[in-house]
Amino acid sequence: MHRLSTHLAAVDFSWRTRVGAGIAITHGWGLVVNPGARIGNNVTLFHGVTLGRDRISPDGNRQTEYPVIEDEVWIGPHAIIVGGVTIGRGSRIAGGTFVTESVPPYSIVSGNPSTIVKTNCTPDVMNPAPL
């Protein structure tokens, strides 16, 4: 069933991924979420987002870890988040951003490699789930 739904929807989102209430998947085509990733409450994911597991550390070794997306995070189109990073509560990840380091809460990051472009931002939650 998973293979069929993945093929038909062009979305690879495992039923084993831990996901909080209020997730919003906007134009999900091309979405890839590793089963080991954790997603908090009221998170928005756009098309082409990848929440992956492996990243290459600065010393050249492969690290197999999984991203943690905290509550009220907004992740734009084609953003890639890999490794054992934490995306802090209320943060926004701009489209096309490549994230390999943790992001503090209420930050906006952009670019490849990702750079914090603003702190103390306001979360962007489309339809918050009552918790």
Side-chain angles (χ1 to χ4, degrees):
M1 186 62 143
H2 175 73
R3 285 186 184 162
L4 177 63
S5 61
T6 297
H7 176 73
L8 293 175
V11 172
D12 189 358
F13 197 142
S14 175
W15 59 272
R16 290 179 279 171
T17 305
R18 294 191 332 199
V19 180
I23 189 166
I25 298 175
T26 304
H27 309 293
W29 290 98
L31 181 72
V32 177
V33 178
N34 190 283
R38 290 190 343 230
I39 301 172
N41 297 311
N42 296 316
V43 169
T44 301
L45 302 174
F46 277 79
H47 58 279
V49 166
T50 298
L51 301 179
R53 66 176 192 170
D54 290 343
R55 74 178 182 105
I56 305 301
S57 66
D59 64 5
N61 290 317
R62 178 180 305 272
Q63 295 178 323
T64 300
E65 301 169 323
Y66 304 96
V68 174
I69 311 301
E70 293 185 345
D71 297 346
E72 301 177 335
V73 171
W74 184 97
I75 303 175
H78 302 288
I80 299 170
I81 301 170
V82 293
V85 300
T86 298
I87 307 301
R89 181 185 189 114
S91 291
R92 298 184 199 182
I93 310 300
T97 299
F98 185 63
V99 181
T100 59
E101 300 293 331
S102 291
V103 174
Y106 305 103
S107 299
I108 297 176
V109 296
S110 179
N112 179 4
S114 61
T115 304
I116 296 172
V117 295
K118 183 176 181 182
T119 57
N120 298 319
C121 74
T122 302
D124 185 2
V125 178
M126 293 170 52
N127 295 305
L131 302 173

